[in-house]
């Protein structure tokens, strides 16, 4: 009997430990999937949102044509090559790359954002939680932010960013300093490398239609894809919403307005300088 009890006790401990491992794995499953896309050197836009977020609902309605549409269906449409907008992302980027090369410019991915890689497809992926208030506490999102932080630190060193600029990086920079707290959030990846991060989607009220809102979103994402020097700048990212995780404040600006005192890196007239 004692031996049987000992065996049962051992089995219980093993089961408990196994449950802990499975639970931890489940909490990081989105991050592990994200890293798989990165390892495969995919080019994609990753949408992060919540079912109860009004601006996320606007994005879903605009992309699927239905108030309660399925982003799974939209993702399948895009990744099967049947979405005109995402096909244009690919075409516009490849045309920009070709024009620079034909103009005699040597492309060496100077800014570590994957510019120069030939893109065969721009995919769409999405991670959607049920509640907006809990999304920033998710371990998988924290891990993705940590990855973005590492990429940002590496990219910033390439640009001559003065210490007086809000985008200047110090060694003690944390994921909170990235200011990625509102949703919907879009992480733009090219050839497995970080291109940019932006947040928000237009309100569909006051006469703003789905097509108009989607066109504005397309224009912003497209500008990042076709800019050889595009890189994420936390102080320029209008994604801070006071912690409600809604994205409502960024729905109007799309994160394009530069912060006071920062250099307008996205301005095409700005002459990009970088350390060789």
């Amino acid at each position: 009997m004692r031996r049987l009890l000992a065996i049962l006790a051992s089995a219980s401990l093993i089961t408990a430990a196994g449950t802990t491992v499975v639970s931890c794995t489940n909490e990081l499953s989105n991050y592990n999937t994200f890293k798989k896309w990165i390892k495969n050197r995919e080019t994609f836009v990753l949408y992060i949102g919540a079912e109860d977020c009004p601006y996320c609902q606007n994005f879903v309605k605009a992309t699927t044509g239905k108030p309660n549409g399925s982003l799974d269906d939209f993702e399948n449409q895009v990744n099967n090559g049947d979405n005109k907008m995402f096909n244009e992302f690919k075409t516009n980027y490849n045309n920009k790359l070709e024009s620079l090369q034909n103009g005699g410019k040597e492309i060496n991915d100077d800014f570590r954002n994957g510019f120069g890689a030939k893109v065969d497809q721009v995919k769409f992926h999405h991670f959607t939680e049920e509640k907006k208030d809990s999304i920033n506490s998710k371990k998988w999102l924290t891990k993705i932010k940590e990855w973005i932080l590492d990429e940002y630190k590496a990219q910033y060193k390439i640009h001559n960013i003065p210490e007086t600029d809000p985008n200047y990086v110090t060694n003690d920079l944390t994921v909170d300093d990235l200011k990625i707290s509102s949703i919907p959030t879009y992480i733009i990846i090219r050839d497995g490398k970080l291109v940019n991060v932006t947040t928000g989607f237009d309100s569909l009220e006051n006469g703003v239609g789905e097509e108009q809102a989607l066109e504005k979103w397309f224009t912003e994402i497209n500008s990042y894809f076709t800019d050889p020097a595009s890189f994420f700048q936390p102080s320029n990212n209008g994604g801070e919403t006071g912690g409600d995780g809604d994205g409502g404040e960024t729905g109007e600006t799309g994160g394009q307005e530069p912060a006071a005192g920062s250099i307008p890196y996205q301005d095409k007239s700005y002459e990009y300088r970088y350390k060789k």
Side-chain angles (χ1 to χ4, degrees):
M1 177 62 73
R2 289 180 180 177
R3 184 178 181 185
L4 177 60
L5 291 174
I7 293 173
L8 291 175
S10 298
S12 297
L13 288 173
I14 293 172
T15 302
T19 301
T20 301
V21 171
V22 170
S23 176
C24 183
T25 302
N26 288 341
E27 290 178 355
L28 293 176
S29 60
N30 284 351
Y31 171 71
N32 293 333
T33 299
F34 172 78
K35 286 304 298 285
K36 181 181 70 174
W37 297 328
I38 297 299
K39 183 178 180 180
N40 291 339
R41 298 177 64 174
E42 287 190 16
T43 297
F44 60 92
V45 177
L46 172 61
Y47 162 95
I48 297 175
E51 293 177 2
D52 65 343
C53 158
Y55 289 85
C56 301
Q57 294 167 2
N58 290 343
F59 178 82
V60 171
K61 184 178 180 181
T63 51
T64 67
K66 303 175 183 178
N68 297 313
S70 169
L71 282 182
D72 288 334
D73 292 341
F74 178 69
E75 180 171 329
N76 289 334
Q77 180 195 59
V78 170
N79 297 348
N80 287 332
D82 298 326
N83 183 272
K84 179 182 177 182
M85 180 172 58
F86 273 74
N87 290 341
E88 285 187 22
F89 284 146
K90 176 193 71 174
T91 300
N92 293 345
Y93 163 73
N94 286 331
N95 287 345
K96 178 64 175 288
L97 176 61
E98 184 178 0
S99 69
L100 290 174
Q101 291 172 331
N102 290 341
K105 181 175 177 58
E106 184 178 353
I107 307 297
N108 295 314
D109 191 16
D110 291 329
F111 298 99
R112 191 175 158 159
N113 62 8
F115 196 93
K118 182 66 181 296
V119 171
D120 295 322
Q121 183 181 25
V122 178
K123 294 183 177 181
F124 175 81
H125 297 303
H126 70 98
F127 294 145
T128 305
E129 293 287 343
E130 183 179 358
K131 300 294 184 181
K132 64 181 181 181
D133 291 337
S134 63
I135 194 166
N136 281 302
S137 65
K138 298 297 181 180
K139 291 183 178 180
W140 62 264
L141 183 54
T142 299
K143 293 293 290 183
I144 289 178
K145 288 180 181 180
E146 289 174 353
W147 180 86
I148 292 174
L149 178 62
D150 289 340
E151 291 297 301
Y152 173 60
K153 285 182 176 180
Q155 289 181 352
Y156 116 91
K157 293 177 182 178
I158 300 172
H159 295 261
N160 281 335
I161 302 179
E163 292 187 32
T164 55
D165 188 88
N167 290 299
Y168 188 78
V169 172
T170 59
N171 291 332
D172 58 351
L173 194 73
T174 68
V175 293
D176 292 333
D177 295 312
L178 294 179
K179 300 180 182 178
I180 307 174
S181 61
S182 66
I183 52 175
T185 291
Y186 315 95
I187 302 173
I188 306 163
I189 303 293
R190 178 173 45 231
D191 196 38
K193 297 179 181 178
L194 177 67
V195 175
N196 222 308
V197 181
T198 189
T199 61
F201 196 75
D202 267 349
S203 169
L204 299 183
E205 300 176 354
N206 301 320
V208 177
E210 291 93 336
E211 185 175 345
Q212 180 181 349
L214 199 57
E215 179 63 28
K216 182 177 179 180
W217 178 84
F218 168 84
T219 300
E220 181 183 4
I221 302 296
N222 186 69
S223 70
Y224 294 145
F225 264 125
T226 55
D227 183 355
S230 178
F231 80 114
F232 175 52
Q233 304 156 71
S235 68
N236 284 6
N237 187 42
E240 191 64 45
T241 62
D244 66 358
D246 189 303
E249 295 299 323
T250 63
E252 297 299 323
T253 66
Q256 297 188 59
E257 292 298 323
S262 66
I263 297 174
Y265 297 102
Q266 303 301 340
D267 186 342
K268 303 306 177 185
S269 64
Y270 178 77
E271 181 180 355
Y272 295 99
R273 301 184 301 275
Y274 54 92
K275 299 175 183 177
K276 292 291 187 181

